[in-house]
Amino acid sequence: MMVEEMNAPLLKADNLSKSFGGIHAVRQVSFEVPTGQIKGIIGPNGAGKTTLFNLITGFYAADAGAIYFNGRTLDGLVPHQVAERGVARTFQNVELFDRMTVLENVMVGRHPKSRAGFISAAFRLSHARREENNIINKATEILNFIGLSERAASPSTSLPFGLQRVLEIGRALATDPLLLLLDEPASGLNAGETRELGRLICRIRDSGITVVLVEHDMSLTMEVCDQILVMDYGRTLAEGSPRDIQQDPEVIAAYLGDEPLA
Amino acid sequence: MIRFLKYTWFQVGSFGLLLALVPLVVTNRYYLNVMIFIGIHTLLVVGLNLLMGYAGQISLGHAAFFGLGAYTSGVLTATYKLSPWPAMVIAVVLTVAVALLVGVPALKLTGYYLAMATLGFGIIVYICFKELVWLTGGPSGLVGIPKLSIGTVVLDEPRTYYYLVWAITLGAIVLSLNIVDSRVGRALRAIHDSEPAARASGIYTARLKIWVFVVSAIYASVAGSLYAHFITFISPSSFDFMFSIKLVTMVVVGGMASIWGAVFGAATLTVLPEVLAVFHDFDIVIFGLILMVVMIFMPQGLTRGALDLWEKYRLQRDVAGGSLSGG
């Protein structure tokens, strides 16, 4: 139903609020992410962007408001349950599994789609072996998609930083998400790597996965996003297409400064 | 992947063969007894390594699970005349119950707090062994624990008991190698490397930590039962805080997150006190020193540390050789 309906919201945040002590990190933020789009969330440091991700993925519980995903509330779910529902994410400071290979990192991402437990693993029961093969195949497929198959057996720490970010996206894709949340994926990347990343994000969207992107890098946001939400001091400042945002006087005055965006 | 599997089976097979041959060469009872202790300690350390080395959760009270296995087996067989094998199973069930009771709240803690909680648990269990005199015999110990037997064959010779202990330990090693190289093993290592990323990848970290705690407690309980039926006399001092520390030392010396390292760590630190017997009570000082030296110079453990040193040496030699021929 939902998929057939054009631009039905996959994710809907309704009046979300979260404060830490006296700091209101997120204040009554509402927005929708339509299926199949790339949504950008921009704003200066401390605007509440990462807090928003942590609320959606169940790392924090909201003080008020609700989050609906795929027609159901995410209220009260903890991170692994949110992942099982089909929301995957990356982290601002690249959280890879440092003592694993590139392939193994992606294989961990298959966790919610597999079931083998201690017993079937310890005795190598046939269904666990089959499942393990499926995990390897799927992970290999994903490494091909993100262009890291030649580094499959390398330790993840041996990758240059830009590729570590790509690998983290690959691990998130392994969970077969409906929604992918990217927390500042371009930070620390050079211009060439950022363009490459932009193309990857578009390919992910084209494969049917909805993307939400928190970003500082304007070139990436303006280029790939269908819709942009601007946050400041935990509030929604503006929402619209990249063109609207670039021309929004309030955004220009309050956040971007007086100079118009390139 | 298949090549890797074969490789693992090759390791296990050759290690098993080596173990099977030992009693044919070594007939000295003292040496065989030491080998039995190495087997029991290996079982303990392989289990603790799943918890510490792989999942990265420290336990400073693991001697308590070892003691629970030993005392449950001891009391049920010596006092209540139950036969040893069912007693061993009951010991495992009891240990699982205690591990769940302790693990569910304790594993919500991390780092130092988890260390302190498990430390406290170990001390409480030790005091119970000492003070519940009517049940455990108190500080003077529990005597009259029968030897194990299989069918009508009583395993009262070090040689036969050696085979039993190492068969069980080798089985535990195989199970651990399988667990480590699986979905569950990857999830455990994921918790160690980045708990937030593990959770975001769909791993129910809280439950997995409890399960690996329970599994390592089962290993310790079986080791305890084997220990009790081997020396037939147990007293609280074998299960005190110092023994927990010794187990942690074995894990660290052998190398975190390495099953074969665990075997090595257990063997080294079981043989060492025998060699260091001349130092009497100072052996614990030597343990502390070893732990410090390993942590400072070889934080990966002795096995990995030695390999790294060898690599470094080779690299230097090659570089030196290259510059000579070049100059």
Side-chain angles (χ1 to χ4, degrees):
Chain A
M1 273 295 282
M2 200 135 235
V3 184
E4 287 164 25
E5 205 179 317
M6 276 295 280
N7 291 345
L10 180 66
L11 180 75
K12 187 175 169 219
D14 193 13
N15 252 328
L16 273 185
S17 293
K18 176 72 182 174
S19 47
F20 301 98
I23 299 165
H24 299 281
V26 171
R27 293 196 238 194
Q28 295 163 355
V29 170
S30 298
F31 65 92
E32 290 184 354
V33 182
T35 303
Q37 288 205 354
I38 299 175
K39 177 121 188 166
I41 300 177
I42 59 172
N45 273 329
K49 302 173 309 246
T50 297
T51 304
L52 203 56
F53 270 18
N54 284 333
L55 288 173
I56 298 168
T57 49
F59 280 88
Y60 298 154
D63 297 337
I67 304 163
Y68 300 94
F69 174 71
N70 210 5
R72 292 158 78 192
T73 176
L74 292 182
D75 203 33
L77 298 190
V78 288
H80 78 269
Q81 293 170 318
V82 178
E84 281 166 2
R85 289 275 183 92
V87 181
R89 70 170 291 178
T90 64
F91 293 84
Q92 201 172 329
N93 304 313
V94 183
E95 295 274 351
L96 286 176
F97 306 126
D98 289 345
R99 275 165 282 200
M100 295 189 202
T101 65
V102 168
L103 181 69
E104 282 177 316
N105 264 277
V106 179
M107 286 169 76
V108 173
R110 286 310 280 170
H111 199 88
K113 297 287 172 197
S114 45
R115 334 187 319 272
F118 272 98
I119 305 285
S120 47
F123 294 97
R124 283 205 187 281
L125 302 182
S126 62
H127 74 84
R129 284 205 310 268
R130 254 198 320 274
E131 189 180 83
E132 187 76 1
N133 282 333
N134 292 339
I135 292 173
I136 293 170
N137 291 340
K138 179 74 188 184
T140 311
E141 208 176 281
I142 284 170
L143 285 185
N144 279 330
F145 181 77
I146 61 175
L148 281 180
S149 40
E150 277 172 17
R151 307 295 291 266
S154 317
S156 60
T157 45
S158 75
L159 294 180
F161 187 71
L163 292 183
Q164 292 192 16
R165 285 219 179 271
V166 171
L167 175 57
E168 205 190 12
I169 294 174
R171 183 182 64 199
L173 289 177
T175 64
D176 275 346
L178 298 171
L179 176 69
L180 176 62
L181 307 178
L182 302 174
D183 198 348
E184 298 200 14
S187 88
L189 305 194
N190 63 35
E193 289 171 328
T194 303
R195 270 196 304 278
E196 197 67 41
L197 179 75
R199 278 195 285 273
L200 176 63
I201 293 171
C202 289
R203 277 167 56 216
I204 290 170
R205 189 252 332 260
D206 295 343
S207 76
I209 296 168
T210 308
V211 180
V212 177
L213 184 72
V214 156
E215 199 43 83
H216 272 311
D217 188 292
M218 288 302 160
S219 62
L220 179 71
T221 323
M222 294 298 164
E223 200 177 300
V224 306
C225 292
D226 299 300
Q227 290 279 312
I228 291 176
L229 174 79
V230 186
M231 286 180 74
D232 196 17
Y233 296 108
R235 289 180 201 280
T236 304
L237 197 65
E239 197 175 359
S241 68
R243 184 184 293 270
D244 295 342
I245 294 300
Q246 274 169 312
Q247 289 162 357
D248 188 305
E250 206 180 344
V251 174
I252 293 169
Y255 167 52
L256 300 173
D258 295 330
E259 287 177 47
L261 274 172
Chain B
M1 218 56 208
I2 285 169
R3 206 181 51 192
F4 174 67
L5 270 182
K6 279 183 182 155
Y7 187 47
T8 304
W9 285 112
F10 174 74
Q11 288 178 335
V12 171
S14 39
F15 185 58
L17 195 68
L18 191 73
L19 286 171
L21 292 176
V22 167
L24 304 182
V25 184
V26 179
T27 45
N28 182 314
R29 292 175 75 91
Y30 167 72
Y31 289 139
L32 277 178
N33 285 348
V34 171
M35 288 295 291
I36 290 170
F37 275 113
I38 293 177
I40 291 171
H41 289 163
T42 300
L43 186 54
L44 277 161
V45 175
V46 167
L48 184 57
N49 195 22
L50 285 177
L51 178 72
M52 272 184 62
Y54 287 92
Q57 310 297 309
I58 198 161
S59 168
L60 292 183
H62 231 57
F65 295 120
F66 182 54
L68 277 173
Y71 267 101
T72 311
S73 271
V75 169
L76 287 178
T77 54
T79 315
Y80 296 99
K81 306 299 174 204
L82 200 71
S83 61
W85 294 108
M88 198 183 275
V89 174
I90 294 172
V92 167
V93 173
L94 183 78
T95 308
V96 168
V98 173
L100 282 173
L101 210 67
V102 176
V104 170
L107 290 164
K108 293 204 169 105
L109 307 171
T110 53
Y112 308 124
Y113 300 102
L114 176 62
M116 293 309 285
T118 52
L119 176 83
F121 162 68
I123 291 171
I124 290 168
V125 172
Y126 169 71
I127 290 173
C128 288
F129 291 154
K130 225 165 83 176
E131 300 302 325
L132 297 175
V133 180
W134 61 274
L135 187 69
T136 65
S140 47
L142 186 71
V143 291
I145 303 169
K147 290 279 185 182
L148 270 175
S149 49
I150 295 174
T152 53
V153 184
V154 183
L155 307 176
D156 51 359
E157 277 294 306
R159 197 152 65 95
T160 48
Y161 208 73
Y162 166 94
Y163 279 119
L164 175 77
V165 166
W166 274 105
I168 292 176
T169 300
L170 201 62
I173 289 174
V174 171
L175 295 186
S176 307
L177 285 169
N178 285 347
I179 289 174
V180 164
D181 177 36
S182 76
R183 170 181 183 262
V184 177
R186 278 190 303 274
L188 291 174
R189 286 184 285 153
I191 294 177
H192 195 174
D193 279 352
S194 167
E195 193 161 341
R199 301 176 74 195
S201 302
I203 296 167
Y204 191 177
T205 54
R207 195 173 62 185
L208 194 61
K209 282 195 261 182
I210 291 165
W211 277 125
V212 71
F213 190 65
V214 167
V215 167
S216 74
I218 292 174
Y219 279 45
S221 175
V222 172
S225 298
L226 289 173
Y227 173 79
H229 290 297
F230 174 54
I231 59 167
T232 68
F233 163 80
I234 50 176
S235 67
S237 61
S238 310
F239 314 105
D240 61 358
F241 170 61
M242 285 326 299
F243 189 66
S244 288
I245 294 297
K246 224 179 239 186
L247 291 176
V248 171
T249 312
M250 289 177 187
V251 171
V252 173
V253 167
M256 303 275 255
S258 159
I259 300 288
W260 294 114
V263 181
F264 177 78
T268 312
L269 291 190
T270 308
V271 173
L272 210 60
E274 307 291 327
V275 180
L276 296 178
V278 283
F279 291 101
H280 288 290
D281 295 341
F282 288 103
D283 62 344
I284 201 70
V285 176
I286 310 250
F287 269 166
L289 272 176
I290 291 172
L291 192 58
M292 275 174 62
V293 169
V294 169
M295 285 316 284
I296 293 170
F297 296 106
M298 298 177 178
Q300 306 257 48
L302 265 186
T303 30
R304 177 51 61 83
L307 281 175
D308 285 352
L309 278 182
W310 168 243
E311 286 287 313
K312 219 168 159 184
Y313 161 76
R314 253 187 25 190
L315 212 71
Q316 269 172 2
R317 195 189 52 186
D318 290 353
V319 168
S323 66
L324 268 181
S325 61

